[in-house]
Structures are given as C-alpha cells and as structure tokens.
Amino acid sequence: MNPNKPGKLKPALSIMAMASVLLLNGCANFQGISPQAKLMQVPETAAQNDAAWDAVQWPQRIGGDSLAQLIATGLKDNPGIDMARTRISAAATSEALARASTLPSAGLQAESTYQRFTETGMIPPPLGGTWDTNNQVTVGVKYDLDFWGKHQAALKSAISQKAATEAELAAARMSLAAAIASQWVQLNHHAQALELTTTQLKLRQRISELSKTRAKAGLENQTEIRQNELSESALLQEIQQWKDGIDSAKLQLALLLGKTPDYAASIAVPAAPVQGLTVPPENLPLHLIARKPEIVAARWRVEAADAGIAQAKANFYPDINISAFAGLSSLGLDHLLKSGSAIAGAGPVLSLPIFDGGRLRASLSRNVAEYDTAVYSYNQSLQSAFKDAAEQVQSLQKLNEQRKIAESARQSANQLQQLATLRQRAGTGTALPVLQAAINEVGQKKNLNDIQSKMTLSQIALIRAIGGDVPATN
C-alpha cells in the first residue's frame, strides 16, 4: 500500500485506541468518590413531562372573571416573571452550546507571510536566502468521537437546567397568582362583611326608633335606649374597620400587580361572595404533590447534577478527536492556485491526563457534592410540600364542618325571623322581635362569610402546595 494515501488513517485509529486502553488503568482513578444522598421516590406525574401546571382555571372557578383578570394583569410585565423568562433564555443558550459540542466543526484558515527563507533550512537555494511570501489556504474539519459520553452528559445537564428554569418560571407565576388571589379573597371578605354590618346597623337604628317611641308611651325605660345606642356605636366602629380593611386590601393588590399606590382606587370591589369551594379528600395522591413546580425544578436540578458527575468522570478518560484539512500551499502567490499546490491530511489526536495535581478528582468531588446537595434540596422540598398539603387539607376538613354548622345556624335564624314575621302579621307579636331576629340572621351570615373566606384562603394555600387545582370529595 502506498503510505501517501489516506488508507493509513484506519491503522492509526487502531493504534490510538490501543494506546488509550493501555493507559486507562493507570490514569482513570475516581474510586472512592460517589454520591451519598438517596432520592425520595414518588409516583411520576404528567406535569413533570409537559409542565402543564394549572395557572388559569382555578382563579376563574374561585373568583370568576374579576379574579382571573386581576391575575392576568399581575402576570403581565412583572419584573420577577420577566427575570425568570430571562433565565430560561440563558439556559437555552447553554443548551445550544452543549449541543454544538456534539457536532463536527469546520473552519477556514488563510495566511500569507512575507519572509526571508533561511539558506540552511529545509528550502534549498535558489529560494533559500531570498524574500518571498509563504501562502496557505485550508479548510479544516474536527470531530470529537466522544467515546466516554462527555459531550452527551454536558448536553443532558444543559437540557435539565433549562427544564428546571421553566419549572421555576411556573413556580413564580403560581406564587404571584396565589398571592393575588389571597388578597382578593380578603378584599371580598371585607366587602361582604361591610355590606352585612351596614344592614345590621340599619336594623339596629329601626329598633332604636321603636324603643324611643315606646319610651315616650311609657312602655320602655331609658336602659334599653342606651343599650341600643351602644350597639349602634359598636357597629359604626366595625363598619370603619371593614372600610379600612378594604382600602388596605386594594393597596396590597395594587402593589402585587406591579402598579403604583394610586392604582388601588381603580380596583373594583367584588360584588359577589367567593365561589367554587372544594373540599379535598383526606389523603391526597402523592403525584399531585410531586407536580408542584418547585419540586419539579428541584428534580431537574438533580438530573443536571447527575449528568455533571458523568461529565466529570468522562474527563478521566482520553479524548480522541479526528481532524482533517484540505487546501492550497505555496511559496509565492503566483503558484498558489496551481494543482501542484494542493495539500490534504487527516488523522486522530489523543489527549490523556496523567498528572494533574488532583484537579480531576477535586472536580469530580465538587460535582458529587452538588448532586448530594440537589438531592437533599429535592427531598426537603418534597417533605415541606407534604407538610403544607397535609396542614391545609386538615384545615379545610375542619372549616368545612364549621361551615355546615354555621349554615345550619343561619337557616335556624331565618326560620325564627319568618315565625316572628308571621306572629306580627297575625297580631300576636310586634315589629321588635322581627327586627331582632333579622339582626341575628345577618350575624349568622357574617359568621358564614368569615368561615367561607378562611376556607378559600386555605384552598388557595393548598393549590400553592400541590401546584394545581384541588380534587373535590363533594
């Protein structure tokens, strides 16, 4: 075989491979460096694969268009959300760079140097000792065979990092939406309480008028009149508290929406009570908790760290690259484009670390520590989510029982009012018992409104804890 032909490339590769195998046992030494953390196992969830976190449906169910529009406003042009999107763009760039490392690279190189050629070198006279240009134009191709999967591990790590940033964006959106929803529920609660307390005040004022009329007729003493005045004063103070609560809630909403405090005046007070209350089962499926965006992000961080270990281990092994070039080379520009100036070559390149002062082991140890940290962070996030979800489920169960009792009390108060009204119409009773029964019924409505608001806040907290809507038992 002609040694000048490219057929010599295959034997060269074989020699390089044999050399690398002989050197592996002596140089690749990462024994004793391995992760210690154990990953908690939970059922897989579709949300981890397609990032289908529920960020729109539950606000509509709880607060209708009013709440849904507020949340949409808050998520638009929010600095925190924009920052999360920027991190996704940076992660996508890192992924593109890692993917490029798995592909061949090519480049064009051209140089022309005017120089004096030595008379005692490789170029003999008459060119030796003269001045001329040394010219070369080549196209080179390089490809890393990646026998040990270093570049693939780097790509896997970059893909996992990007998925983690996407999950973190969903977490930021969920956190902001939950905060807006919670403040909206407070605003709704204050508004409903203000309306009911105002109704109580009007009823109490009518009772005061009746008491004064009866006192003039000698049917009632001043004690009852003074008691009514005290009750009116207490209701007036309560009304002011609810008004202050509305102003505070609107201000907090404006700030959550990323607006100035003046924007609070334009926020509409909800006209209807909260709706769409659901009570979850006592034992939530684990896959619901595992879909929480923060947990999914932590899981992807573990995947990225695991790929980092594989990449660090691959650094212990030799790199084998294939490079090739073709082009033109000549002394003097007048010969550059002639066929005799053609040059070409190809061959493998082997690089293997032998003595590195412990750099590779230190690098692997760092990657292993990062993996352990990522696993512990994931496990902690999972346990925290379990705790938060369990507490909110328990709270909702207890509040639901209180709601049933409060609803029963409201119905009883309503029946008492109806009976008092019937007695008044039959001439066996006066208007005073009717008004007192009406005040009691409104009081039961206020209590029910308070419990329902607490249930909604707890429900939003549960949605935040599991990263999506809550399955109902009824």
Side-chain angles (χ1 to χ4, degrees):
M1 179 180 292
N2 187 348
N4 295 323
K5 291 184 179 180
K8 291 293 182 179
L9 178 60
K10 187 174 181 181
L13 281 173
S14 300
I15 294 173
M16 300 290 278
M18 291 174 61
S20 64
V21 171
L22 291 174
L23 291 171
L24 283 181
N25 290 333
C27 300
N29 181 15
F30 46 74
Q31 296 176 351
I33 305 176
S34 60
Q36 302 300 314
K38 302 297 182 183
L39 193 68
M40 291 181 62
Q41 299 298 323
V42 294
E44 292 294 330
T45 170
Q48 186 168 345
N49 297 325
D50 58 20
W53 291 283
D54 181 23
V56 177
Q57 296 177 0
W58 64 264
Q60 183 72 37
R61 176 177 58 77
I62 290 176
D65 292 339
S66 175
L67 177 57
Q69 290 172 3
L70 278 177
I71 290 177
T73 300
L75 294 178
K76 182 181 179 182
D77 299 329
N78 181 277
I81 303 300
D82 292 339
M83 188 180 300
R85 291 194 183 100
T86 301
R87 287 196 293 268
I88 292 178
S89 299
T93 301
S94 298
E95 178 187 348
L97 290 173
R99 194 178 300 278
S101 298
T102 66
L103 303 175
S105 60
L108 173 67
Q109 182 175 357
E111 61 177 284
S112 178
T113 304
Y114 184 70
Q115 66 182 79
R116 182 185 185 278
F117 297 101
T118 175
E119 300 178 30
T120 59
M122 296 180 60
I123 301 175
L127 290 178
T130 64
W131 288 80
D132 207 337
T133 55
N134 183 20
N135 309 286
Q136 183 168 302
V137 178
T138 58
V139 175
V141 179
K142 183 179 179 181
Y143 178 60
D144 190 339
L145 297 179
D146 198 22
F147 278 134
W148 322 111
K150 177 171 63 175
H151 296 314
Q152 288 297 325
L155 177 59
K156 180 181 177 182
S157 177
I159 291 174
S160 298
Q161 293 284 5
K162 180 174 178 288
T165 57
E166 291 172 346
E168 288 168 351
L169 171 61
R173 291 173 59 87
M174 177 68 72
S175 179
L176 180 59
I180 293 173
S182 296
Q183 203 59 239
W184 181 88
V185 170
Q186 294 282 15
L187 175 61
N188 189 298
H189 172 244
H190 296 327
Q192 298 301 317
L194 174 62
E195 181 179 348
L196 292 171
T197 306
T198 301
T199 300
Q200 281 184 316
L201 177 62
K202 292 179 180 178
L203 291 170
R204 178 59 62 185
Q205 288 172 340
R206 289 177 60 186
I207 290 176
S208 294
E209 292 174 359
L210 287 175
S211 295
K212 292 176 181 179
T213 301
R214 288 169 58 82
K216 289 179 181 179
L219 301 176
E220 202 164 292
N221 56 38
Q222 293 294 319
T223 302
E224 190 67 26
I225 294 176
R226 297 293 173 261
Q227 186 63 47
N228 288 331
E229 290 176 350
L230 288 174
S231 298
E232 286 183 33
S233 178
L235 289 171
L236 286 170
Q237 292 179 19
E238 187 178 346
I239 285 173
Q240 187 59 48
Q241 290 175 357
W242 295 129
K243 288 181 177 179
D244 292 342
I246 289 174
D247 292 339
S248 177
K250 291 173 71 173
L251 176 60
Q252 293 301 318
L253 273 174
L255 297 177
L256 285 171
L257 297 178
K259 307 296 184 180
T260 62
D262 295 342
Y263 187 82
S266 65
I267 296 177
V269 176
V274 293
Q275 54 192 359
L277 287 174
T278 59
V279 181
E282 293 184 5
N283 296 313
L284 285 175
L286 291 180
H287 74 271
L288 291 179
I289 299 174
R291 73 181 177 178
K292 185 179 180 181
E294 288 91 335
I295 293 177
V296 175
R299 187 69 177 85
W300 279 118
R301 296 294 183 195
V302 172
E303 295 293 330
D306 184 58
I309 292 177
Q311 183 181 2
K313 286 184 176 180
N315 287 330
F316 283 78
Y317 299 106
D319 283 333
I320 301 178
N321 300 323
I322 299 296
S323 62
F325 68 91
L328 299 170
S329 179
S330 71
L331 298 178
L333 288 173
D334 53 338
H335 300 292
L336 182 62
L337 300 180
K338 293 182 179 181
S339 60
S341 299
I343 57 173
V349 178
L350 171 68
S351 61
L352 175 68
I354 298 177
F355 302 108
D356 65 350
R359 179 181 59 84
L360 290 177
R361 287 182 61 84
S363 177
L364 177 58
S365 297
R366 180 189 61 193
N367 284 97
V368 168
E370 290 175 353
Y371 174 83
D372 285 342
T373 301
V375 170
Y376 290 136
S377 177
Y378 171 78
N379 292 345
Q380 185 179 29
S381 297
L382 200 57
Q383 290 177 339
S384 178
F386 287 153
K387 177 178 178 294
D388 291 344
E391 289 177 348
Q392 298 307 325
V393 167
Q394 186 179 58
S395 175
L396 279 167
Q397 296 286 350
K398 292 180 178 180
L399 287 169
N400 189 47
E401 293 302 318
Q402 295 178 26
R403 180 180 64 86
K404 292 177 181 179
I405 295 173
E407 176 60 29
S408 177
R410 187 201 65 80
Q411 292 176 1
S412 297
N414 179 261
Q415 292 172 359
L416 286 175
Q417 183 187 9
Q418 292 177 2
L419 290 173
T421 302
L422 289 175
R423 285 195 297 270
Q424 181 188 19
R425 291 175 180 175
T428 58
T430 64
L432 194 60
V434 176
L435 293 173
Q436 190 62 55
I439 288 179
N440 291 336
E441 183 185 10
V442 174
Q444 294 302 325
K445 287 181 179 180
K446 287 172 65 176
N447 185 42
L448 186 60
N449 173 58
D450 183 62
I451 294 173
Q452 288 176 334
S453 296
K454 291 179 180 178
M455 283 189 69
T456 308
L457 290 173
S458 185
Q459 183 174 289
I460 293 171
L462 179 57
I463 290 172
R464 182 73 182 87
I466 66 176
D469 214 340
V470 183
T473 58
N474 52 8

